Amino acid sequence: MASFHVLIAGGGIGGLCLAQGLTKAGISCAVYESAPGIVTAGYRLHMNVLGGDALRECLPENLYELYLQTSRRTPEREMSVMIDTQGTEIWTRPHIGPPNEGDRPHTAVNRRTLRQILATGLDDVLHFGRTAVGYEADGDGVRLLFDDGSSVAGDVLVGADGIHSPIRSQLLPEVGVVDTGMRGMWSIAPLTDDLAAVMPRALFDGFAVVTRGDGTIFAIGVYDPRRPIADAVAELAPGAAIDHVEPYVMVTYGSDLGAAPAADMPDFAHDSPAELHRAIRRAMSGAHPGLVELVDRIDESTIAPSAIRYLEVADPWQPSRVTLLGDAIHAMPPSFGAGANSALRDAAALARALDDAVHGRRPLLEAIGDYEERMRAEVFPIMRASADPDAVHSDHVPDLTR
């Protein structure tokens, strides 16, 4: 398969990681992303062993080291913690996944920084402003179709184009998008020494949920990199287009999974950032002084609405030259911080499968079918558990055997 070429629809975290893995293996690929450049939206991402090991497998050594150095400092307790508004701990729960140990365990990253690391060195592979709308496939190859009427040909097409993937909609039209009804907002507050001094210590663990007991929650995550990003980039990837980011605290606020909305919930879709800031200040009124201070310091320019949706679990399908990874096949609520890690896991597994096929160790469809079967076995249980209403607001231990 000397001329083997992989088409990747979608330049998010999973698609970029796959491109890195294929490039490392010497397999030709191209990534087609609808946005005009690397998407910079979004803030902190929890990382676990599945995602971290996938990055180690797919990235060049210097970029993997850059990922580690720009990950957040190792917290005293790498676990989920729920507290009430006065800072009293209600429960703790280890993050799901294999043991996460060592001198520099996987912790959390800034989403934009990870995307930019993953895009480094892929200039000849990345094609922006190309919106995929579907495909044509037969036994000999596949053609990716774009909204401007153009197309490109390859041997395999990977849909890495998110929850509203047109590739999945054509391949598996029966899989629907579920709206949880959860509405909320994302924001960040700059992390300064004086703010850190007054925040409840539980907020510096792996991830914290603050419950108001009325169907709304705050989810809070610290991002304080192990090394200043600009310094790490200058040493490990000089000249790379990776933005410097100062430490911050990600603050989200909204309705809880499966809970009736509170009577005083703002209109996240239509209220201005200033109105949303006033609303979350009211929601935190009378709370622990450090929580009040944290909310007061939110940068209004970072406030953005969010709506939580996920995919129905797909029944097994026949393997073909078209396959899927990440949110395009298993978009899930953020209950366990597993979405990005699962996409990275997919990318590494699919790169291995395609490498087997290219080098004649397995027939192509057998390799793709094995990748898909293992994904269903390993990721779909997490997907189901993440949609369980108990996942966010109790010390619920998910059943990952289904």
Side-chain angles (χ1 to χ4, degrees):
M1 293 188 182
S3 61
F4 192 84
H5 184 63
V6 180
L7 308 172
I8 303 170
I13 286 170
L16 292 173
C17 186
L18 174 60
Q20 287 281 2
L22 293 174
T23 300
K24 191 175 184 178
I27 298 173
S28 174
C29 66
V31 179
Y32 298 93
E33 166 59 40
S34 61
I38 293 295
V39 176
T40 59
Y43 305 118
R44 183 188 186 274
L45 280 175
H46 167 71
M47 294 295 298
N48 64 23
V49 171
L50 293 177
D53 283 358
L55 290 172
R56 180 170 55 189
E57 184 173 345
C58 292
L59 286 173
E61 185 175 343
N62 68 312
L63 294 185
Y64 178 69
E65 178 64 21
L66 184 57
Y67 148 73
L68 283 177
Q69 291 195 18
T70 57
S71 295
R72 74 160 293 194
R73 299 177 191 274
T74 306
E76 292 183 9
R77 299 188 300 175
E78 181 57 46
M79 59 178 60
S80 294
V81 182
M82 176 172 275
I83 63 175
D84 63 21
T85 56
Q86 298 307 312
T88 302
E89 189 172 292
I90 299 173
W91 55 253
T92 62
R93 179 177 65 202
H95 294 299
I96 63 173
N100 186 15
E101 300 168 339
D103 293 337
R104 293 184 297 177
H106 304 293
T107 53
V109 294
N110 183 56
R111 188 186 301 255
R112 175 181 18 156
T113 305
L114 180 59
R115 287 195 190 108
Q116 291 175 330
I117 290 172
L118 287 167
T120 301
L122 297 181
D123 292 350
D124 295 336
V125 170
L126 272 167
H127 305 274
F128 294 108
R130 302 298 303 276
T131 301
V133 295
Y135 64 87
E136 297 171 352
D138 56 30
D140 298 321
V142 61
R143 183 167 289 276
L144 179 60
L145 311 176
F146 299 103
D147 64 347
D148 61 2
S150 64
S151 65
V152 291
D155 295 280
V156 168
L157 168 62
V158 181
D161 46 348
I163 189 171
H164 298 295
S165 165
I167 308 303
R168 184 200 65 252
S169 296
Q170 184 174 342
L171 180 67
L172 302 173
E174 68 280 4
V175 176
V177 176
V178 179
D179 187 343
T180 65
M182 294 175 68
R183 298 293 183 266
M185 47 72 62
W186 300 79
S187 66
I188 66 171
L191 180 59
T192 59
D193 290 343
D194 59 330
L195 176 59
V198 297
M199 287 166 52
R201 299 316 300 167
L203 300 188
F204 291 91
D205 291 322
F207 199 70
V209 176
V210 181
T211 178
R212 293 179 66 210
D214 64 351
T216 64
I217 58 172
F218 286 85
I220 297 171
V222 167
Y223 176 69
D224 53 340
R226 289 175 169 134
R227 186 182 183 190
I229 292 176
D231 293 352
V233 172
E235 177 186 342
L236 296 165
I242 300 172
D243 300 326
H244 184 66
V245 177
E246 293 291 338
Y248 63 78
V249 185
M250 182 185 75
V251 182
T252 75
Y253 171 63
S255 51
D256 197 356
L257 185 63
D264 60 348
M265 286 286 281
D267 184 341
F268 293 104
H270 299 101
D271 289 350
S272 69
E275 289 170 325
L276 291 176
H277 198 185
R278 286 193 291 272
I280 58 178
R281 279 174 162 150
R282 289 194 299 271
M284 200 63 94
S285 175
H288 183 287
L291 291 172
V292 173
E293 185 71 15
L294 172 61
V295 166
D296 281 346
R297 295 206 190 183
I298 286 173
D299 178 352
E300 285 185 5
S301 71
T302 69
I303 295 176
S306 64
I308 306 301
R309 300 178 174 88
Y310 64 91
L311 286 179
E312 295 175 336
V313 177
D315 292 328
W317 61 93
Q318 287 297 312
S320 70
R321 289 177 178 267
V322 180
T323 190
L324 303 161
L325 67 72
D327 281 357
I329 183 58
H330 49 64
M332 61 187 79
S335 312
F336 298 110
N341 289 284
S342 297
L344 293 169
R345 173 249 167 241
D346 292 351
L350 183 53
R352 287 194 302 271
L354 294 176
D355 188 53
D356 283 348
V358 167
H359 290 92
R361 292 186 287 269
R362 283 190 294 177
L364 176 61
L365 295 191
E366 179 183 314
I368 290 174
D370 182 64
Y371 155 75
E372 292 171 341
E373 182 178 357
R374 290 176 182 271
M375 175 180 62
R376 289 189 290 263
E378 296 176 19
V379 180
F380 280 17
I382 302 173
M383 182 183 180
R384 292 187 181 95
S386 295
D388 187 327
D390 282 337
V392 191
H393 55 81
S394 75
D395 55 355
H396 173 70
V397 177
D399 178 5
L400 301 182
T401 62
R402 296 185 292 139

